[in-house]
Amino acid sequence: MLSGRCPVVITIHGGFWQSKYGLDENEALTKDLSRSGYATWNIEYRRIGEDGGGWPGTFHDVIDAVNHLSKLEERFQLDLSRVIVLGHSAGGQLALWLASRSSKNQNDEMGNHLHIPIKRVISLAGVLDLQKMWEIHDEKGISSPLESFIGGTPREVSNRYSIASPIDLLPLNVEQILIHGELDRHVPVELSIEYHRRATEQGDKVHLIVLPEVEHFKIIDPFSTAWKSVTDSLETLLSN
C-alpha cells in the first residue's frame, strides 16, 4: 500500500471517441488501482454524437477535467506532483495530447490552458497517429470516426490532425510507456511501434511493451495476465 498523499492516476477511456462508449469501460481497472492505494480520476468527455463532442469540445473537456483536480487536492490529500495519465485506445491519444500541453506553447485554437503539468503517461493500445488510423479505415472501406471527431479528412483539415495527433507533437518531453497487444485488431500495434521509433529518435524517454497473444481489451482487464504490465509500469514511473 502507498502512504502519505496519494499519487493520482487519471484514466481516459477509449471507444473511438463515440458516444456509445463511456467511462464505465474503466470501472474495473480504477477499482483495482484504488485498492492498491492510488487516487483515481476516471474522466468523461463529450463524444461524437453528443452536443459539443469532437473538435474542439472533447479537447476542452479533458483539460477541464484534469484542472479540476486542483479543487480536490486538499480534501482528498492528492499529490499533484505525481500524476500519471493512463489512456486506452482513443484515450491514449487524448492522454498524450494532454501531455503535449505541458511542454508546448498552449496559445493555439484549443483555447483553455492545462494548469496541472503532466509528466508521466501510459498509453494502452493508443491511437497515436490519427492520419495513419484514418488511412487504415479508408483502406478497409470503413467510415472512420476520425472524420466526425476531427471534422474532416486529413486532406480537408490537415492542421487539425497535426494539432491532435501525438506522433506529430513529438517530442513531448515527458516519460511515456506504450503498452500494446500484438493481436490488436482495432488499433494495430504498428502505430505504437512507429511512434516509439520516432519518439526515441527525437530524444523522448519512452518505453514500448508489446504483449504477445493479447488483443485490444485484455490490456484493460485487471483479471488478465496483461494487466500486470500496466501495474508494473505505474510503479516504474512513480519510482523515477
Side-chain angles (χ1 to χ4, degrees), residues 2 22 34 61 93 96 101 136-137 172-173 185 190 222 237:
L2 303 166
S34 295
D61 291 350
Q93 175 265 325
L96 286 164
R101 307 298 290 178
I136 290 169
H137 287 156
L172 300 188
N173 301 311
R185 294 181 299 168
E190 285 74 22
L237 289 177

Side-chain angles (χ1 to χ4, degrees), residues 9 11 23 40 42 44 52 56 77 90 93 99-100 103 107 120 131 149 158 160 170 172 187-188 221-223:
V9 181
T11 57
L23 52 73
T40 58
N42 189 18
E44 189 56 282
Q77 292 295 287
Q93 175 265 325
S100 78
S103 60
N107 296 318
R120 307 171 183 91
Q131 178 168 334
F149 176 54
S158 60
R160 292 186 181 183
L170 292 169
L172 300 188
V187 181
D221 179 359
F223 301 103

